[in-house]
Amino acid sequence: MIAPGETIGILGGGQLGRMLAMAAARLGYRCHIYAPEDHSVAAEVSAAHTQAAFDYAAGLSAFAADCAVVTYEFENVPVAPLAALGEVPVFPHPRALETAQDRLNEKTFVTELGGTPAPFAPVDSPEDLRAAIAKIGTPGILKTRRDGYDGKGQWRIMSPEDAEGLDLPDQPLIYEGFVHFSAEFSVILCRGQDGEIRYFDSAHNRHEDGILALSTVPAPAAITAQVPAARELAAKVADALDYVGVLTLEFFATEAGPVFNEMAPRVHNSGHWTIEGAVTCQFENHIRAICGLPLGSTELAADAVEMRNLIGEDANDWAEILKDPANHLHLYGKGDVRPGRKMGHVTRLTFD
């Protein structure tokens, strides 16, 4: 058990790290941010900041010497350089990063645990793509196996002709069959060092242009009927990885049951509603888990909760948003407003 007053290291300096650091501070911990960017919104609310590349061994070693435990706020932290952290515990274990960083490995792993992803096939050449389309059919989505988020690194293919002439990037790809679904939802759990698992309510997630726009709890019956099966798979994933901390699995609700989309070994945008909407939010429970503390209650703190992302210019409406006293505004401190960039979110609680 890591006592308050110790330092928690966070790899990554974005808004998730910012909210983790704020939750840690409430429990009496210091946070040390390690990120390559010269401006880190997480560092603004933390006790220390190291600006260095993720593959800089000396920097990682010095960072680890200041930390009692290390975690990460996004899944694209390179795994191999983490050996430089030495003996300091890293939660979740980097094997979770290795699994989530490659979409082919991720879907194979989940399939072996009994999960059902969309039909998929690896693509390393135009010939592979034609073969995948012949096997799986269209419509489908071609994705990079690594990196890419919020709709980036993806190409929708509506017919075999769409694939002809595509300028494929020089990196491994995966082709996925299109899923006909009624809704999208996520299972967010927190697993302690003792193996205890607690689940947050599953939100109904709605996307615009590939970016999460709105999460609402409680979800409609089309989702809640499929949550038990989705939670069962999520628990298998967490146990197989000996996971510690918050883990997110995204699903499509279909007529045949929940179809796995992807996993995120971290706190997640679709769980931001928990800051006001749950007794203990995802960020605090993640800190509790990695420090070996008892997990907090994940019960709802209201009858209904709505979380809306503020994307791009939406964040400039902060004054209008604050005119409604029911709104809880979170701005992430990002300087440049760009289309498609998550600048903050606003949460509303409803009591019957």
Side-chain angles (χ1 to χ4, degrees), residues 126 129-130 160-168:
L129 180 56
R130 284 192 287 269
E161 289 72 27
D162 288 346
E164 297 302 325
L166 257 184
D167 185 16
L168 299 182

Side-chain angles (χ1 to χ4, degrees), residues 324-348:
D324 186 340
N327 286 336
H328 297 268
L329 177 65
H330 298 257
L331 295 176
Y332 303 150
K334 297 179 179 180
D336 297 330
V337 177
R338 297 195 299 267
R341 192 181 196 194
K342 294 173 183 172
M343 305 297 295
H345 70 269
V346 58
T347 305
R348 291 179 60 88

Side-chain angles (χ1 to χ4, degrees), residues 296-310:
S297 170
T298 54
E299 295 296 314
L300 284 174
D303 294 303
V305 190
E306 174 186 286
M307 187 284 298
R308 184 177 297 277
N309 271 328
L310 299 176

Side-chain angles (χ1 to χ4, degrees), residues 144-315:
T144 56
R145 280 173 54 176
R146 290 182 173 270
D147 301 324
Y149 61 94
D150 291 344
K152 300 178 178 69
Q154 300 184 11
W155 299 265
R156 180 163 293 194
I157 296 176
M158 302 305 294
S159 69
E161 289 72 27
D162 288 346
E164 297 302 325
L166 257 184
D167 185 16
L168 299 182
D170 186 21
Q171 62 185 110
L173 305 168
I174 184 172
Y175 181 72
E176 300 175 13
F178 190 78
V179 176
H180 296 280
F181 60 91
S182 59
E184 296 177 81
F185 69 99
S186 50
V187 169
I188 302 178
L189 63 81
C190 189
R191 187 177 187 272
Q193 294 183 31
D194 59 358
E196 178 190 5
I197 292 177
R198 296 198 178 185
Y199 300 93
F200 292 94
D201 281 42
S202 286
H204 179 195
N205 299 327
R206 277 160 275 195
H207 293 76
E208 297 175 4
D209 298 324
I211 303 172
L212 180 65
L214 181 70
S215 292
T216 54
V217 177
I223 288 174
T224 57
Q226 300 193 12
V227 166
R231 284 184 174 182
E232 182 179 355
L233 176 62
K236 288 180 179 178
V237 170
D239 289 340
L241 295 171
D242 195 17
Y243 197 91
V244 174
V246 168
L247 171 68
T248 306
L249 271 69
E250 297 181 26
F251 292 91
F252 300 113
T254 76
E255 291 183 356
V259 172
F260 169 79
N261 182 25
E262 61 184 20
M263 64 176 276
R266 54 170 171 79
V267 290
H268 196 257
N269 192 182
S270 66
H272 288 357
W273 65 267
T274 64
I275 297 174
E276 289 85 22
V279 174
T280 309
C281 73
Q282 63 167 346
F283 301 99
E284 180 176 328
N285 258 337
H286 186 81
I287 297 299
R288 288 181 179 225
I290 66 173
C291 291
L293 307 179
L295 301 182
S297 170
T298 54
E299 295 296 314
L300 284 174
D303 294 303
V305 190
E306 174 186 286
M307 187 284 298
R308 184 177 297 277
N309 271 328
L310 299 176
I311 300 169
E313 295 290 343
D314 293 347

